[in-house]
């Protein structure tokens, strides 16, 4: 979900107004994903690198994410959405936010319509490192380490690899998102800034995805 700051700057507003405007984009996209019958939707909300932003913006984002959970979790629960989180629960994440995350996880845990994974304090490299640490803690011998062994130690092993990754705001980078999981994902980069993103943009991306041929290293048959 990229482009909030630029969206705000274009309107002469503070960057944080761009984040606030992203809330409507999030929930319209969730509605669109539900309409399409998408089973898993992951949103990159805060990266392990985003701590480097000015303290005021970081503080704003912590409060904003907490607020979204409080404001929207009942609605998500009513829609049958199971909310999951992906990322490091380290000391930098405010306790109050961690508590809201746990409550939301608990509230929605038996929902089956769609998983909404919120990648928060998430980094793809950190996730791989954490999985490797887990392999070591589990005393897995080197000869038994394979893709399956590592994969099941990722943050949400029950969530399949994404078929499609969409990045907004005209940047053509992955920026440490789901590094392990995107090995064979289709990537779509769109110019739309995140606060302007709506379900129609998701539908466009899915249509483009459907037109692509996926071979997974094989040849066309
Ligand atoms: C993405 O928008 C939101 C977060 C990283 C939380 P940005 O804040 O990165 O917006 P730009 O890239 O400055 O426009
Ligand atoms: Mg950005």
């Amino acid at each position: 979900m990229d482009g909030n700051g630029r969206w705000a700057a274009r309107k002469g507003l503070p960057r944080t107004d761009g984040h606030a405007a992203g809330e409507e984009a999030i929930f319209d996209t969730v509605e669109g994903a539900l309409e399409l019958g998408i089973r898993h939707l992951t949103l990159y909300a805060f990266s392990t690198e985003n701590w480097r932003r000015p303290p005021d913006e970081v503080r704003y984002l912590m409060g904003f994410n907490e607020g979204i959970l409080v404001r929207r979790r009942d609605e998500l629960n009513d829609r049958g959405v199971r909310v999951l989180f992906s990322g490091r629960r380290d000391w930098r994440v405010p306790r109050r936010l961690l508590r809201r995350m746990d409550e939301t996880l608990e509230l929605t845990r038996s929902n089956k319509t769609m998983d909404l994974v919120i990648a928060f304090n998430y980094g793809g490299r950190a996730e791989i490192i954490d999985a490797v640490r887990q392999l070591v803690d589990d005393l897995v011998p080197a000869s038994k380490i394979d893709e399956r062994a590592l994969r099941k130690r990722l943050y949400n092993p029950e969530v399949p690899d994404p078929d499609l990754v969409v990045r907004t705001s005209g940047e053509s980078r992955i920026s440490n998102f789901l590094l392990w999981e995107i090995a064979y994902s289709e990537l779509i980069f769109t110019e739309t800034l995140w606060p302007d993103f709506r379900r129609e943009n998701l539908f466009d991306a899915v249509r483009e995805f459907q037109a692509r041929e996926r071979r997974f290293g094989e040849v066309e048959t």
Side-chain angles (χ1 to χ4, degrees):
M1 300 186 285
D2 198 11
N4 298 352
R6 277 162 286 168
W7 182 91
R10 277 179 204 177
K11 294 185 148 42
L13 299 168
R15 294 179 51 80
T16 47
D17 285 17
H19 300 313
E23 180 168 345
E24 198 177 334
I26 292 173
F27 288 91
D28 204 67
T29 302
V30 166
E31 286 298 328
L34 285 164
E35 270 181 45
L36 291 176
I38 286 174
R39 296 300 314 283
H40 312 272
L41 175 67
T42 300
L43 298 174
Y44 202 176
F46 194 86
S47 78
T48 48
E49 289 70 39
N50 285 150
W51 297 107
R52 295 186 200 137
R53 293 186 174 206
D56 279 351
E57 186 174 347
V58 169
R59 210 170 304 123
Y60 178 88
L61 287 168
M62 296 299 140
F64 175 66
N65 278 279
E66 187 195 338
I68 282 202
L69 293 181
V70 174
R71 279 194 297 283
R72 303 286 194 150
R73 62 187 167 194
D74 289 331
E75 173 187 338
L76 289 170
N77 193 39
D78 291 344
R79 310 287 277 118
V81 174
R82 178 170 73 153
V83 181
L84 302 170
F85 296 92
S86 194
R88 273 190 181 159
R89 297 177 61 105
D90 67 29
W91 57 272
R92 292 175 293 186
V93 182
R95 240 172 234 288
R96 271 216 327 240
L97 175 53
L98 291 175
R99 208 174 320 126
R100 301 289 176 235
M101 288 159 82
D102 288 339
E103 291 163 2
T104 307
L105 209 62
E106 191 50 40
L107 174 73
T108 63
R109 74 177 319 133
S110 47
N111 291 340
K112 302 234 169 341
T113 308
M114 182 174 83
D115 286 339
L116 175 64
V117 186
I118 302 177
F120 193 87
N121 192 21
Y122 176 87
R125 288 182 174 178
E127 182 178 31
I128 293 170
I129 288 169
D130 289 349
V132 171
R133 288 181 177 166
Q134 197 59 57
L135 285 165
V136 174
D137 280 349
D138 294 344
L139 305 175
V140 181
S143 62
K144 290 268 171 9
I145 297 177
D146 55 13
E147 289 187 15
R148 221 173 66 109
L150 192 139
R151 205 196 177 291
K152 75 178 196 209
R153 289 169 177 83
L154 297 176
Y155 294 138
N156 283 298
E158 72 279 25
V159 175
D161 292 346
D163 290 312
L164 168 63
V165 175
V166 180
R167 181 170 185 159
T168 56
S169 86
E171 310 285 7
S172 308
R173 286 190 289 279
I174 290 302
S175 301
N176 209 9
F177 188 52
L178 303 178
L179 295 184
W180 177 276
E181 296 89 334
I182 59 162
Y184 283 98
S185 302
E186 294 297 326
L187 309 178
I188 289 181
F189 299 97
T190 164
E191 294 292 325
T192 308
L193 303 174
W194 177 253
D196 292 327
F197 199 90
R198 292 292 178 276
R199 72 188 77 188
E200 291 72 25
N201 301 90
L202 176 68
F203 300 162
D204 286 346
V206 169
R207 263 190 294 271
E208 188 177 334
F209 165 84
Q210 287 171 323
R212 292 192 186 177
E213 190 200 340
R214 304 180 80 196
R215 291 186 297 275
F216 301 97
E218 296 172 31
V219 292
E220 200 182 343
T221 51

